[in-house]
Amino acid sequence: LTAAYALCPPGGTTSPQLLTPTVSHSFPVAVSSENRSDAKEYYSALQKSITAAREKLGDELTAWRDAVGNSELGKEKSVKAAQLEGEEGEE
């Protein structure tokens, strides 16, 4: 199981410790060689890999969200304000 992301944080964002904006992780599906044909064991191992991927990516993306902080909120507010001003000028 492989999971990857490529972020484009806003300028001036300080990277969280030990993280880079582009990452790829592999999470092996650990099934013993003698039980490879056992579907129940395979799906159990797959579920463990998916859980590990979700936790790892969740932790990393949360760190990035915290690093970016509220800098993106200001952009959204300024765009909405500009749209409102444009609509008032048309009337």
Side-chain angles (χ1 to χ4, degrees):
L1 175 67
T2 301
Y5 60 82
L7 304 175
C8 298
T13 301
T14 303
S15 296
Q17 281 188 327
L18 305 174
L19 293 179
T20 59
T22 303
V23 176
S24 178
H25 296 292
S26 291
F27 302 90
V29 179
V31 179
S32 61
S33 60
E34 59 268 356
N35 291 331
R36 287 191 188 267
S37 61
D38 183 8
K40 185 175 180 177
E41 184 170 333
Y42 171 77
Y43 286 111
S44 176
L46 180 61
Q47 183 179 17
K48 289 177 184 176
S49 294
I50 291 170
T51 299
R54 187 181 73 224
E55 289 173 358
K56 179 78 170 172
L57 295 176
D59 290 345
E60 291 178 356
L61 293 175
T62 297
W64 276 106
R65 182 198 63 203
D66 294 344
V68 170
N70 292 328
S71 65
E72 292 292 295
L73 291 177
K75 289 182 182 179
E76 290 178 19
K77 289 178 183 177
S78 64
V79 169
K80 287 179 183 177
Q83 287 175 344
L84 288 175
E85 287 177 12
E87 290 174 4
E88 290 175 0
E90 291 175 3
E91 293 176 5

